[in-house]
Amino acid sequence: MGSTRLPGTPRLLRALNDRAALELLLSRGPLTRAQLGELTGLSKVTASQLVERLEERGLVTRVGEQAGGRGPNAQLYAVRPGSAFVVGVDITADRVVAACADITGQVTGRVEMSTKDNDDPVGVVHEAVVQAASNGHAPLDSVRRVVLGTPGLVDPGSGDITFAFNLPRWHRGLLAALREDLHTPVVFENDVNLAACAEAEYGAAAGVDDFVLVWADIGVGLAIVLGGRLHHGSSGAAGEIGYLPMPGVPVNRDQSRRSQPPFGQLAGAAALRTVAREHGFRGGSAADAIRAAIAAGTEGGAALDEIARRLALGVASTCVVLDPPLVVLAGEVGQAGGSALAERVQHEVAAITLVSPKVVVTQVEEEPVLRGALLVALDAVRDEIFGSTVG
């Protein structure tokens, strides 16, 4: 048989080399041509051609010089921050927070707006995105992607919101309206899923391929990561553990689904605040009451034990199906409970099931949904830009 020439191989290799170089510049900071050559295994000539190619496309820029031995100083190169921007948005029932970041991940602008008494979701998001971009000195036409974190279900097929418990005005058709309004790719993602993305990148689940994140807050939700990827399910409902039927808790068959679901009635913030109050610990929120119980030392143990028992029912139901090695407790309640609550949940799950996952508290304490939204947006835009560097 004669040899077969693979069409496009040099082009593919150039694209792969360019991508590798850009990733190195992002992770390691400014580098010289020689350093890029050493780190990528390319010759000096090939590395120089690579840098020139990326400079011509506006993706890298010279940022200084590095003094060496004999001869002229070597030029230092870095990814050009303004080559692209993204906007992440965290949406809750009463406010919207949007942040703009450049292609390096540096947050350049931020805005927080109230959504109370506002029945125009498109207008609210438009204003938040425009303001965040403006504050971040990012021209709107350079914003390559907007990722919105929202409570509820996101249809994996259409990308639209199909149900949001506490956002009744958010509905099907909203995605298309936002894309038309903003003239850029817009993506909805479940807020707890985005928190899990942040946890995998920056927090307790870094380097862990399989884990679940339990969001204990006003309601109770779950994100599932298997093989390093989010698992959404066929309808986007994977992880909606608030709807787990619980013995002794009424099942509401209201088709509008606007009432608190069974496990939410048992382990949502309102129920856990009541538990703490019954044990003598009060606070303006469930999180405050739990912190008071922890501060009381051994006197708060009974309250924490009952709260852990309730949360463990949902964790156990999940873990006997998925058997993950790690469970992360997040949300206001999860954070407030800290290691004292996490350890109790871990002990209870092991006591009532055949599985014994490690249960830890989140390490992403500040704005995990927003950070996850920016992370997902940046991953997508870098794939688009870095993966198409050869014209």
Side-chain angles (χ1 to χ4, degrees), residues 83-236:
S83 56
F85 293 87
V86 300
V87 172
V89 185
D90 179 12
I91 303 160
T92 66
D94 56 5
R95 61 112 177 94
V96 167
V97 181
C100 179
D102 63 37
I103 192 68
T104 70
Q106 180 67 41
V107 174
T108 60
R110 189 179 184 282
V111 66
E112 184 169 342
M113 301 170 57
S114 172
T115 57
K116 290 181 179 177
D117 304 319
N118 192 310
D119 59 358
D120 179 17
V122 174
V124 169
V125 173
H126 173 94
E127 186 65 22
V129 170
V130 169
Q131 283 295 323
S134 175
N135 293 347
H137 307 290
L140 269 182
D141 60 3
S142 68
V143 175
R144 299 285 293 263
R145 183 165 293 240
V146 177
V147 173
L148 302 118
T150 174
L153 306 188
V154 178
D155 187 304
S158 68
D160 240 325
I161 295 176
T162 56
F163 172 73
F165 178 81
N166 52 356
L167 295 173
R169 298 182 185 92
W170 296 69
H171 50 75
R172 287 186 185 273
L174 192 55
L175 184 63
L178 284 169
R179 286 174 174 170
E180 183 177 349
D181 176 74
L182 294 169
H183 306 291
T184 195
V186 177
V187 176
F188 283 124
E189 179 57 272
N190 174 268
D191 53 358
V192 181
N193 284 346
L194 290 176
C197 291
E199 201 72 49
E201 182 71 15
Y202 310 114
V208 181
D209 286 339
D210 299 336
F211 72 95
V212 297
L213 180 140
V214 177
W215 187 264
D217 211 295
I218 296 172
V220 190
L222 181 87
I224 302 165
V225 176
L226 299 173
R229 292 178 174 272
L230 282 170
H231 178 71
H232 295 87
S234 62
S235 65

Side-chain angles (χ1 to χ4, degrees), residues 13 57 62 68 102 121 123 151 212 227 236 286 292 300 319 350 386 388:
L13 288 174
R57 296 185 67 84
R62 302 178 193 194
D102 63 37
V212 297
C319 290
F386 296 177
S388 60

